[in-house]
Amino acid sequence: MPELSVQRAGDLAGRPGSRPIDKVAVLGSSGFVGRAVVAELGNRGVKVQPVAAPRLSWPLTHALRADSVPADLYEDVVDALAAQLDGAQIVINTAGLPNGSAPDSAELYGGNTLLPTLVARASALVNARRLVHVSSAAAQGQMALDETARTMPFSPYSRSKAIGERLLRREDCIDTVIYRSTWVHDVDRPNTRALIRLAQSRASCVAGDGTAPTPQVLIDDVAAAITHLGLVDGSVPPIVLQPYNGMTTGLLLRLLGGREPLHLPPRVARYATRCFTAYGRTSLNANAHARRVEMLLFGKRQVPGWLADQGLAPQLRPEAWERLRTAGTGPTPASSPSAEALARPRTGDSQPQDTSGAAGADRYLTK
């Protein structure tokens, strides 16, 4: 791993010339990402100030028309948030509606589109040093994932996140970093359990040899990235993408399914994707399902970003993905392959390989 050009978050408290971070406020601290961030901050000895996120409603028509959030909109909410944020040097917003299949609703745009701007204004009122807003790579849709402001939403959820980013970037009252998480997994996450069931079924398949990169990440790695963005000293880019960990389409299904997926000829897989894409044109919700199918078959490319440049790309850790598969199913049967076996080279490869990073991941897939 390359040497960091900025100091690690855990070392900031003792850095000469920098103000110590005594307290970090976390909105959405009881949610999936919020709980993990609170735990990570606690592990680093940082005091956490949980903040209750308000439930807001904002119609889509208002969100689409707005170039910015009106200054007098929900002033009482901003004041109430500021009262809860008082004393925190850093604010991390993990709140919002995280359902990727959610239909259009005023609550969806209230939580994912309007709230981030109100949090920024409240953070400025209490002179917080930085706001870290947790967004989603889904805002970029079919594009290669990167750290530009470009978005291509394909569902109500991704649109709510994309507009939320756009409006938040218009606010210049506080140092703000928008963190785009990729597809996050943990043992009790419904989407993860659904993916495991698919990986263990006869429908488990990938396009070609399964070496395409896919931006799947563990919740612990997400919490570490968010915490670093909050605590690191010095300047941080306005948009930061969760770094790639080396996962590929074939390896993902092997680790979560405990078996080799079916390898479809790329032409067949592309035809299936076109069929799902045609289905996706019937509605934004259907389009979201079509994009998931395409992701599983072909993966998605992402451009290396700031965290990767700092040497903070997470390791792949096949054993952690294997624990997701076996959690809740009792002891793994002796005949069931372990994560080490799943990542081991096939017969004919004489040399053992390191599966901890991106360079090794592609070597452990059936060609």
Side-chain angles (χ1 to χ4, degrees):
M1 180 175 291
E3 184 177 348
L4 297 182
S5 60
V6 295
Q7 196 160 6
R8 284 190 180 276
D11 300 330
L12 291 179
R15 178 170 177 171
S18 66
R19 291 176 293 169
I21 297 174
D22 300 320
K23 189 183 298 183
V24 175
V26 179
L27 283 86
S29 57
S30 62
F32 172 59
V33 174
R35 290 194 306 269
V37 170
V38 168
E40 179 69 17
L41 287 166
N43 290 339
R44 302 191 187 204
V46 179
K47 184 177 180 180
V48 177
Q49 184 169 319
V51 176
R55 296 184 179 275
L56 303 175
S57 296
W58 207 33
L60 171 61
T61 52
H62 293 179
L64 288 176
R65 290 199 306 261
D67 289 327
S68 61
V69 176
D72 59 350
L73 187 64
Y74 284 110
E75 285 183 297
D76 55 335
V77 172
V78 173
D79 292 338
L81 281 172
Q84 293 189 74
L85 297 175
D86 192 31
Q89 293 104 325
I90 305 296
V91 178
I92 298 176
N93 178 34
T94 71
L97 275 68
N99 185 358
S101 301
D104 275 319
S105 70
E107 291 72 26
L108 181 69
Y109 294 97
N112 293 349
T113 304
L114 175 61
L115 179 61
T117 293
L118 302 187
V119 172
R121 293 174 181 176
S123 301
L125 286 179
V126 300
N127 295 316
R129 290 164 56 181
R130 178 177 297 154
L131 166 65
V132 181
H133 168 61
V134 178
S135 186
S136 171
Q140 292 197 293
Q142 289 183 287
M143 299 169 50
L145 303 180
D146 60 22
E147 295 180 343
T148 69
R150 298 176 301 166
T151 59
M152 186 184 292
F154 58 91
S155 67
Y157 170 78
S158 63
R159 182 165 59 191
S160 70
K161 285 293 190 179
I163 301 175
E165 287 187 9
R166 175 172 59 82
L167 296 177
L168 181 57
R169 292 197 308 272
R170 298 295 180 92
E171 300 292 311
D172 58 1
C173 55
I174 184 174
D175 176 28
T176 299
V177 53
I178 295 170
Y179 164 78
R180 287 177 179 156
S181 90
T182 50
W183 282 261
V184 191
H185 296 281
D186 195 23
V187 62
D188 58 353
R189 191 155 174 79
N191 287 345
T192 304
R193 304 313 303 175
L195 180 57
I196 291 171
R197 289 193 295 270
L198 173 64
Q200 294 176 339
S201 73
R202 294 182 179 180
S204 177
C205 58
V206 293
D209 60 9
T211 60
T214 183
Q216 315 288 332
V217 67
L218 297 169
I219 183 60
D220 292 346
D221 296 326
V222 166
I226 294 170
T227 299
H228 181 82
L229 291 175
L231 300 182
V232 70
D233 202 8
S235 61
V236 178
I239 299 174
V240 171
L241 177 66
Q242 171 66 32
Y244 176 58
N245 60 6
M247 184 63 77
T248 59
T249 54
L251 185 55
L252 175 69
L253 294 179
R254 284 176 60 193
L255 290 173
L256 295 184
R259 58 192 293 271
E260 187 69 26
L262 177 65
H263 291 261
L264 298 177
R267 286 185 180 180
V268 174
R270 188 61 66 187
Y271 175 76
T273 300
R274 285 199 295 266
C275 292
F276 276 103
T277 300
Y279 162 71
R281 295 192 185 101
T282 62
S283 70
L284 283 173
N285 192 42
N287 195 22
H289 292 299
R291 296 285 75 78
R292 292 190 188 103
V293 171
E294 184 175 25
M295 171 86 70
L296 287 175
L297 289 172
F298 291 97
K300 179 179 281 290
R301 187 174 66 86
Q302 68 179 85
V303 179
W306 186 80
L307 285 170
D309 289 342
Q310 307 309 308
L312 295 174
Q315 293 184 333
L316 182 56
R317 296 186 290 144
E319 72 286 351
W321 291 90
E322 196 271 345
R323 283 196 294 270
L324 297 184
R325 173 170 60 87
T326 58
T329 61
T332 303
S335 60
S336 179
S338 65
E340 181 182 358
L342 289 168
R344 187 180 301 142
R346 298 294 183 182
T347 301
D349 293 335
S350 59
Q351 297 298 321
Q353 304 288 346
D354 175 16
T355 65
S356 61
D362 291 347
R363 294 197 292 266
Y364 307 128
L365 302 173
T366 301
K367 299 298 183 183

